[in-house]
């Protein structure tokens, strides 16, 4: 239908990555047939280009403004939102924002929600109540991930794209990056959907079409299954012989073979049956929740009051997280508090990848996906966090980048968060109630590596809070260092190294902190604490930037030198004249080619050890 048609129904279609009106022609024809006399609109947005850098929130704003104009001109009686892949996520966010769902967090804070500011000015639209159905084809509701790829080459490409996206300035990042698993836009959308479902009584039906051959969109997104009370709110329909792209093919071509023709007609009949409410046409293809019982968690439990995340750090498989979580739950049961825990693991994390900012942020995105899943299962629970080492970074970075999340109480041990992290705005916005940081007497890991990178803090985004504590640029009325009643506290010092703050001697006190909010007391009743830090590690911490620089120079320099020397040994170039003046260098450069290759192999093994094990 054209722009000037007078109809009661607006069908607004949002295309996916590299989509266009031409590519959706068969879907448009089916929609026009299923909704006679409707106004079917497809606007070609920026994400039709792989290199577009327009933020997803800006696209959502543009869609809302377009529907504003269309509804003002024609006064539609009902609206159907349709989206494919990324477009389905955008369509869902349009529904959320247009409905005026209350904001339970400051989504326009300048330091914590830059990607969301485009939506901060939006108000409820009258046409939102006219939306009868959200139809999603292969929606990537949880976002895409390199782990979802089907080949090593595709995985490499997606990982490379993720690294480039993290390194580019936010204004230059591809639009596709906003739809990554755990990205701020995806997490904000999913958490706001939970709020939407809690606050909107008569919400439209959500339909998800998934192809049996689709290897991009996962079939078991928790959000819709967790929030829907029946088929009137959500149905998932399976399309046989359909992939992520060909599921939008509904009409038989003359040259098509009989099998393809039969599959295409069957696909069309199912989709048309859903659109026209012909239950007999699609009831055999409805996917029921219980069919995913081996992968989906239990139904939502609104009786849980508190949830504690316990997240491990680097060079750690996290077995201790389950042990300390059990102690916290035991103490909660004694106090009559209905508390549960989540102890997910991102696997062993060596120190070399830990130093790469984009790798750490991938872990943050992983954690945010875990957070959303927990919020869907326990809708009334207050979230808490216990983190060690890299775990502390996950919480701090998440609070900084995702304004939808909050933690009532936070306990840090061996923290690698920067000293000047701004807790005050988070406490003031009631996104954090209390943060307690434990500093060890001999934490060489934090003293040397994260704290040693402080001259390059802007790039690495690491610090030495586990070695020197947090500094306080805010009034002491808010930041009461070492005072039990303050929202931000520290305990100097726990006897031991990097893992001292999570040792068994503290489990009882840690459990009490999460259950009652009482901080850990030092003194004669708790001999595990020491009056001062080890002088040697205080000194090491002060000179750690020089140590890190020297270590990096030696490692990189030895690698460059070994490659150069190997080239000499293989006869690719000649040894320098000065090498003849020294017996050592002469012997080194005159070493046989196999000898040089062995040295180079040992160097490669060292790098592999740093990247995988150390």
């Amino acid at each position: 239908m054209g722009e000037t048609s007078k109809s009661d129904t607006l069908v607004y279609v949002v295309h996916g990555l590299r989509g266009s009106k031409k590519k959706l022609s068969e879907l448009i024809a089916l929609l026009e047939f299923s909704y006679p006399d409707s106004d079917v609109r497809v606007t070609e947005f920026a994400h039709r280009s792989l290199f577009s850098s327009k933020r997803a929130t800006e696209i959502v704003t543009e869609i809302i403004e377009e529907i504003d104009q269309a509804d003002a001109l024609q006064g539609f009686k009902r609206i159907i939102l349709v989206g494919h892949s990324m477009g389905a996520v955008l369509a869902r966010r349009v529904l959320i924002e247009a409905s005026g769902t209350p904001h339970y967090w400051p989504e326009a804070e300048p330091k914590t929600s830059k990607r969301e500011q485009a939506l901060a000015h939006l108000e409820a639209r009258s046409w939102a109540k006219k939306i009868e159905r959200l139809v999603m084809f292969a929606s990537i509701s949880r976002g895409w991930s390199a782990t979802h790829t089907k080949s090593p080459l595709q995985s490499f490409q997606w990982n490379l794209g993720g690294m480039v996206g993290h390194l580019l300035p936010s204004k230059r990042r591809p639009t596709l990056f906003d739809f990554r698993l755990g990205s701020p836009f995806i997490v904000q959308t999913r958490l706001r959907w939970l709020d939407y479902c809690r606050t909107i009584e008569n919400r439209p039906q959500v339909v998800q079409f998934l192809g049996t051959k689709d290897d991009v969109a996962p079939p078991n997104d928790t959000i819709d299954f967790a929030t829907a009370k029946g088929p009137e709110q959500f149905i998932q329909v399976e399309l046989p012989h359909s992939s992520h792209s060909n599921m939008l093919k509904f009409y038989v071509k003359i040259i098509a073979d009989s099998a393809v023709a039969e599959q295409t007609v069957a696909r069309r009949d199912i989709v048309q049956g859903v659109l026209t409410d012909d239950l007999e046409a699609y009831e055999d293809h409805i996917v029921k929740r219980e069919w995913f019982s081996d992968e989906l968690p239990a139904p939502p439990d609104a009786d849980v009051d508190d949830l504690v995340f316990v997240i491990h750090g680097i060079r750690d498989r996290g077995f201790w997280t389950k042990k300390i979580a059990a102690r916290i739950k035991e103490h909660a049961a004694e106090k009559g508090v209905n508390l549960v825990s989540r102890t997910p693991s991102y696997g062993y994390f060596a120190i070399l990848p830990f130093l790469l900012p984009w790798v750490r942020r991938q872990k943050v995105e992983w954690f945010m996906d875990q957070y959303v899943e927990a919020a869907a299962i326990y809708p009334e629970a207050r979230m808490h966090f216990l983190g060690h080492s890299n775990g502390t970074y996950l919480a701090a970075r998440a609070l900084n980048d995702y304004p939808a999340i909050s933690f009532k109480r936070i306990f840090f041990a061996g923290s690698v968060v920067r000293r000047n992290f701004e807790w005050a705005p988070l406490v003031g916005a009631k996104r954090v109630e209390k943060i307690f940081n434990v500093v060890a007497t001999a934490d060489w890991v934090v003293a040397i590596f994260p704290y040693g990178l402080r001259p390059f803090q802007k790039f690495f985004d690491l610090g030495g809070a586990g070695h020197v504590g947090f500094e306080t640029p805010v009034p002491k009325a808010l930041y009461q260092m070492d005072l039990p009643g303050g929202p931000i506290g520290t305990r100097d010092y726990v006897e031991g190294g990097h893992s001292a703050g999570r040792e068994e001697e503290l489990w009882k006190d840690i459990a009490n902190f999460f259950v009652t909010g009482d901080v850990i007391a030092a003194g004669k009743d708790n001999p595990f604490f020491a009056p001062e830090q080890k002088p040697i590690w205080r000194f090491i911490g002060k000179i750690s930037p020089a140590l890190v620089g020297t270590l990096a120079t030696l490692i990189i320099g030895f690698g460059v030198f070994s490659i150069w020397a190997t080239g000499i040994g293989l006869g690719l170039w000649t040894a320098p004249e000065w090498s003849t003046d020294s017996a050592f260098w002469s012997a080194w450069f005159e070493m046989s080619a196999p000898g040089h290759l062995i040295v180079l192999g040992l160097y490669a093994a060292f790098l592999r050890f740093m990247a995988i094990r150390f």
Side-chain angles (χ1 to χ4, degrees), residues 60-70 121 125 127:
V60 170
T61 305
E62 291 176 6
I63 294 173
I64 290 176
E65 290 173 349
E66 283 208 5
I67 299 179
D68 281 345
Q69 296 173 8
H121 69 283
R125 267 41 178 189
W127 51 260

Side-chain angles (χ1 to χ4, degrees), residues 477-509:
L478 180 61
Y479 189 112
Q480 300 181 42
M481 180 70 76
D482 210 25
L483 295 179
I488 306 172
T490 188
R491 178 58 64 208
D492 303 329
Y493 298 91
V494 179
E495 187 69 54
H498 189 49
S499 62
R502 60 165 176 85
E503 292 293 350
E504 187 174 353
E505 289 84 350
L506 290 175
W507 288 1
K508 180 178 179 181
D509 292 307

Side-chain angles (χ1 to χ4, degrees), residues 143-150 154-155 158-159 180-181 215 366:
W144 62 268
S145 170
T147 59
H148 297 161
T149 55
K150 60 182 180 181
Q154 192 179 49
S155 178
W158 286 31
N159 275 308
R180 185 183 175 92
L181 177 74
D215 57 6
W366 163 85

Side-chain angles (χ1 to χ4, degrees), residues 281-332:
Y282 68 88
E283 62 178 343
D284 292 338
H285 301 278
I286 295 176
V287 179
K288 297 181 180 179
R289 186 189 194 283
E290 53 266 28
W291 295 353
F292 289 116
S293 59
D294 59 328
E295 296 184 24
L296 288 176
D301 186 349
D303 294 329
V304 172
D305 301 318
D306 296 271
L307 184 150
V308 179
F309 282 99
V310 187
I311 307 295
H312 64 82
I314 66 170
R315 302 167 66 243
D316 186 354
R317 297 195 182 279
F319 297 152
W320 62 270
T321 62
K322 295 170 176 54
K323 299 170 186 177
I324 195 170
R327 187 64 59 88
I328 295 171
K329 287 183 284 189
E330 178 187 11
H331 189 61

Side-chain angles (χ1 to χ4, degrees), residues 27-345:
L27 173 62
I28 294 171
L30 183 60
L31 291 169
E32 290 177 337
F33 181 83
S34 301
Y35 298 109
D37 299 321
S38 63
D39 187 347
V40 179
R41 302 194 179 201
V42 182
T43 302
E44 296 181 349
F45 289 104
H47 63 288
R48 68 170 300 188
S49 168
L50 186 62
F51 301 101
S52 167
S53 59
K54 179 170 284 190
R55 299 276 59 83
T57 49
E58 296 178 66
I59 298 174
V60 170
T61 305
E62 291 176 6
I63 294 173
I64 290 176
E65 290 173 349
E66 283 208 5
I67 299 179
D68 281 345
Q69 296 173 8
D71 188 59
L73 287 174
Q74 300 197 40
F76 298 107
K77 291 184 179 179
R78 65 172 181 162
I79 297 175
I80 310 294
L81 296 179
V82 182
H84 173 240
S85 192
M86 282 170 43
V89 182
L90 292 167
R92 190 197 293 265
R93 189 61 181 264
V94 167
L95 170 59
I96 296 169
E97 298 299 335
S99 71
T101 305
H103 289 250
Y104 295 109
W105 51 82
E107 204 162 358
E109 283 185 12
K111 289 186 178 298
T112 60
S113 56
K114 293 179 181 179
R115 295 187 179 187
E116 300 295 311
Q117 289 184 41
L119 297 178
H121 69 283
L122 292 181
E123 298 178 355
R125 267 41 178 189
S126 58
W127 51 260
K129 295 181 180 179
K130 304 176 185 178
I131 301 175
E132 289 188 356
R133 180 175 279 169
L134 169 62
V135 181
M136 305 185 299
F137 289 88
S139 174
I140 52 170
S141 301
R142 293 180 66 177
W144 62 268
S145 170
T147 59
H148 297 161
T149 55
K150 60 182 180 181
S151 70
L153 177 60
Q154 192 179 49
S155 178
F156 171 77
Q157 292 172 334
W158 286 31
N159 275 308
L160 181 63
M163 181 190 73
V164 172
H166 277 302
L167 291 176
L168 287 174
S170 59
K171 292 183 179 180
R172 300 294 182 185
R173 287 174 187 163
T175 306
L176 177 64
F177 202 73
D178 282 349
F179 295 86
R180 185 183 175 92
L181 177 74
S183 70
F185 179 77
I186 288 290
V187 170
Q188 292 283 108
T189 299
R190 299 180 77 203
L191 288 176
R192 282 188 58 69
W193 180 254
L194 294 176
D195 275 339
Y196 171 83
C197 294
R198 281 195 288 262
T199 56
I200 303 298
E201 289 290 334
N202 299 315
R203 61 182 191 264
Q205 183 190 54
V206 177
V207 178
Q208 166 78 308
F209 289 108
L210 284 179
T212 55
K213 295 183 178 180
D214 192 337
D215 57 6
V216 177
N220 57 349
D221 182 33
T222 306
I223 293 297
D224 287 312
F225 280 117
T227 56
K229 297 180 181 179
E232 71 280 358
Q233 292 183 348
F234 175 68
I235 59 170
Q236 184 160 296
V237 180
E238 194 171 67
L239 298 180
H241 307 287
S242 302
S243 64
H244 193 72
S245 56
N246 78 358
M247 66 163 40
L248 299 182
K249 302 297 181 183
F250 303 110
Y251 295 95
V252 179
K253 296 181 180 179
I254 297 176
I255 60 174
D257 61 43
S258 58
V260 173
E262 184 179 343
Q263 295 166 9
T264 303
V265 171
R267 184 185 306 124
R268 182 181 67 214
D269 290 344
I270 294 170
V271 174
Q272 185 177 319
V274 174
L275 298 179
T276 58
D277 298 313
D278 181 5
L279 182 62
E280 291 185 3
Y282 68 88
E283 62 178 343
D284 292 338
H285 301 278
I286 295 176
V287 179
K288 297 181 180 179
R289 186 189 194 283
E290 53 266 28
W291 295 353
F292 289 116
S293 59
D294 59 328
E295 296 184 24
L296 288 176
D301 186 349
D303 294 329
V304 172
D305 301 318
D306 296 271
L307 184 150
V308 179
F309 282 99
V310 187
I311 307 295
H312 64 82
I314 66 170
R315 302 167 66 243
D316 186 354
R317 297 195 182 279
F319 297 152
W320 62 270
T321 62
K322 295 170 176 54
K323 299 170 186 177
I324 195 170
R327 187 64 59 88
I328 295 171
K329 287 183 284 189
E330 178 187 11
H331 189 61
E334 294 173 355
K335 296 291 185 179
V337 177
N338 192 352
L339 180 148
V340 298
S341 64
R342 301 275 281 193
T343 59
S345 172

